[in-house]
Amino acid sequence: MATTLTTKVLVIGGGPGGYVAAIRAGQLGLDTILIEGDRLGGTCLIRGCIPSKAVIHAASVFKEMADKTGAGAFGISLKEPPALDFGETIRWKDGIVGKLNAGVGALLKKAKVRALMGWAVFSDAKTCTVETSDGPTRVSAEHVILANGSEPVELPSLPLGGPIISSTEALSLEAVPKRLAVVGAGYIGLELGIAFRKMGAEVTIVEALDRILPLYDEKLVTPVKRWLERAGVTLHLAATALGSRQQRGEFALIVATRDGGEIDIPADNILVTVGRRPRTQSWGLENMAVEMAGPFVKIDNQCRTAMRNVWAIGDLVGEPMLAHKASAQGEMVAEIISGKRRTFDPVAIPAVCFTEPEIVSAGLLPAEAKDRGIDIVTGIFPFAASGRALTMAAGDDGGFIRVLARRDNHRIVGIQAVGAHVSELSGEFILALEMGAVSEDIADTIHVHPTLTEAFHESVLQTLGHAIHI
Ligand code: FAD
């Protein structure tokens, strides 16, 4: 016989959407149960954001050391090339994941959230059954927060298994593949492709569109393209992955190229990164009477679904599929359930690509401003003119900061950057947008010298027509 539990708030999924919702609900004194079928932390912490950034960091350290072999740079050289034990790198990454996973468990406990480990299957909108290690448990709740997340999209012609891998397996390989073919030039494919190139893999990237990182404009993406070229990454654009074959003992990706030809790309691994889709199967969503918006669960601006007191957040509800969006929605829903008045109405949701160099985008891109009929003035400051960038040997990668401000009232509507370390500037960018800053607000803010933030100040000065250092 199943144990039966009742609760005020039931959260499904322990990713950055679900665990944040549960902690906030617990903090607000709401009786809360969280159910997770895999490991606390979800995609982001266990097989996404955190592991990928750890591997990217290790790859960059290795590349920097490899570049210093022989003649070296600025007086630093290595006599021998550095050695890489990728298995050890993965164990280091697993250690970080383990710490954060335990941390989430401790935070849930501190907030008095009951965490159940097992796969939840709903029989109706407010009742699910979980197969826990102690047997089946039935949970019914007044409020249900769905934070089931997403899973990688598979290509029928390249079913995952063996040498054909998704980002999950790529982040747990025992050795760096000698030859890696990446299918899909979105941010996950590029981040991982670049990291493996830095660690010595021969990397080929195949993309069906005729450009990489299609969410960004050409100018922003150019420094990344330049890095790929210089690093010897082969790029096949407007090319389609048709499948794989084993021929004369060699495994290869079959690709239809732009000119109508067909080529084999020999590879030890094929990494498929063609997107992610919301996880809507095999947990009884069809029994909950919620409405759908395409593949996603449909929500309003408070993350309410069509079923009363069933809420949905994170990757399950749509783009952008980013951890910080999921967390912001989770926190908000917990507060609404506790009686606070909240709506999800951010000015913008910033996004970062941890490529080489990094890209940040917050707010409108130039084409988006144009589409909305906003007359903008643009300020651009190149890192080649930033003292701080030069002191970090980061001035020659083509990086820059770009600010878009309305011509009429100088309100800043978009900020983008490409360059080394720019991910850490994203906080200032989004704060400026969320606070409704006009160019004069940033111009009158004293920025620390020497830091990369000065380049933001300068690009804003440029929108006012009086940048100092350019
Ligand atoms: P998830 O993190 O997917 O969590 C959902 C959880 O629900 C899972 O743990 C799953 O096991 C559980 N679950 C689902 N159904 C059930 C059920 N029926 N019963 C029990 N448990 C269930 N985002 C960023 O913002 N920055 C990055 O740098 C970044 N890098 C990424 C790199 C990679 C390689 C990948 C794959 C993703 C990356 N992302 C990044 C995206 C980010 O991981 C997701 O946007 C984020 O994890 C979504 O959070 P979520 O809570 O909606 O879902």
Side-chain angles (χ1 to χ4, degrees):
M1 238 209 26
T3 317
T4 301
L5 299 174
T6 54
T7 184
K8 171 93 176 174
V9 180
L10 168 61
V11 182
I12 306 299
Y19 86 72
V20 168
I23 290 174
R24 188 69 190 116
Q27 286 174 345
L28 289 161
L30 303 171
D31 183 30
T32 305
I33 291 179
L34 177 142
I35 301 177
E36 168 55 58
D38 186 355
R39 289 179 72 192
L40 293 173
T43 303
C44 175
L45 205 154
I46 307 297
R47 53 192 168 273
C49 326
I50 295 294
S52 63
K53 269 78 244 182
V55 168
I56 288 168
H57 176 71
S60 298
V61 171
F62 179 73
K63 170 85 164 68
E64 235 184 87
M65 290 176 76
D67 288 349
K68 303 283 181 296
T69 312
F74 42 88
I76 299 173
S77 62
L78 293 176
K79 286 199 176 63
E80 301 284 333
L84 176 67
D85 176 347
F86 191 59
E88 196 49 45
T89 306
I90 292 298
R91 280 183 281 285
W92 167 73
K93 176 270 292 181
D94 288 341
I96 298 169
V97 169
K99 261 187 217 152
L100 294 175
N101 163 259
V104 171
L107 291 170
L108 288 167
K109 211 168 165 182
K110 187 174 155 214
K112 300 194 170 48
V113 174
R114 286 177 283 170
L116 294 184
M117 301 309 290
W119 194 253
V121 178
F122 280 82
S123 46
D124 66 51
K126 308 284 168 50
T127 315
C128 70
T129 303
V130 200
E131 286 301 331
T132 69
S133 51
D134 299 331
T137 303
R138 231 168 100 91
V139 185
S140 62
E142 198 180 312
H143 291 269
V144 174
I145 305 177
L146 300 174
N148 305 62
S150 62
E151 54 201 358
V153 169
E154 279 198 49
L155 290 174
S157 58
L158 289 169
L160 298 179
I164 305 177
I165 58 176
S166 74
S167 56
T168 305
E169 294 77 36
L171 290 165
S172 288
L173 289 171
E174 265 300 307
V176 173
K178 200 168 160 318
R179 294 162 307 180
L180 177 70
V182 181
V183 180
Y187 84 94
I188 295 178
L190 279 178
E191 286 185 2
L192 295 180
I194 287 172
F196 280 106
R197 178 67 197 126
K198 285 182 175 177
M199 293 184 288
E202 286 167 33
V203 175
T204 303
I205 300 177
V206 176
E207 166 59 52
L209 299 176
D210 64 356
R211 43 172 316 191
I212 61 167
L213 296 172
L215 292 181
Y216 304 105
D217 57 274
E218 197 61 38
K219 194 170 166 64
L220 261 186
V221 166
T222 297
V224 178
K225 267 169 63 183
R226 214 175 65 165
W227 188 92
L228 293 174
E229 248 170 64
R230 286 183 178 174
V233 173
T234 309
L235 203 54
H236 292 283
L237 297 176
T240 315
L242 298 176
S244 64
R245 69 176 146 225
Q246 193 84 36
Q247 217 177 33
R248 278 176 252 115
E250 203 164 60
F251 182 65
L253 172 69
I254 314 163
V255 173
T257 55
R258 177 198 288 269
D259 54 14
E262 194 178 296
I263 55 168
D264 278 13
I265 298 172
D268 301 298
N269 284 108
I270 298 173
L271 168 60
V272 181
T273 51
V274 291
R276 297 184 61 82
R277 62 158 174 254
R279 193 185 279 110
T280 51
Q281 305 287 323
S282 75
W283 52 270
L285 177 65
E286 60 284 359
N287 302 326
M288 300 184 79
V290 302
E291 280 177 22
M292 303 299 288
F296 298 103
V297 171
K298 187 175 173 188
I299 51 162
D300 68 8
N301 65 357
Q302 291 187 308
C303 294
R304 292 177 195 274
T305 68
M307 169 56 77
R308 196 175 138 78
N309 291 349
V310 175
W311 314 72
I313 60 175
D315 284 8
L316 188 66
V317 300
E319 298 286 355
M321 291 202 205
L322 293 171
H324 38 283
K325 182 206 72 172
S327 299
Q329 289 178 326
E331 214 178 319
M332 178 196 73
V333 169
E335 294 192 352
I336 295 173
I337 294 173
S338 79
K340 293 186 193 297
R341 290 166 70 103
R342 295 280 313 270
T343 51
F344 191 71
D345 186 24
V347 171
I349 299 171
V352 171
C353 294
F354 291 82
T355 41
E356 184 62 57
E358 295 174 349
I359 299 178
V360 179
S361 180
L364 301 182
L365 291 162
E368 291 168 334
K370 194 170 166 209
D371 286 350
R372 294 185 191 193
I374 304 174
D375 186 15
I376 54 162
V377 52
T378 304
I380 292 185
F381 191 82
F383 285 119
S386 152
R388 182 55 180 146
L390 297 187
T391 61
M392 295 195 292
D396 64 355
D397 59 10
F400 59 87
I401 298 186
R402 179 175 66 193
V403 173
L404 279 51
R406 290 181 69 106
R407 195 179 295 279
D408 53 4
N409 60 10
H410 301 179
R411 171 71 62 91
I412 297 173
V413 295
I415 310 166
Q416 293 88 36
V418 51
H421 315 293
V422 295
S423 53
E424 297 301 332
L425 301 179
S426 59
E428 181 172 3
F429 296 170
I430 194 60
L431 190 63
L433 292 174
E434 197 61 52
M435 302 290 285
V438 293
S439 293
E440 287 79 355
D441 292 324
I442 307 299
D444 294 349
T445 303
I446 298 173
H447 285 73
V448 172
H449 177 71
T451 64
L452 297 180
T453 65
E454 291 169 293
F456 177 46
H457 186 239
E458 287 279 0
S459 49
V460 169
L461 289 183
Q462 224 203 10
T463 66
L464 297 168
H466 53 81
I468 301 291
H469 292 93
I470 191 144

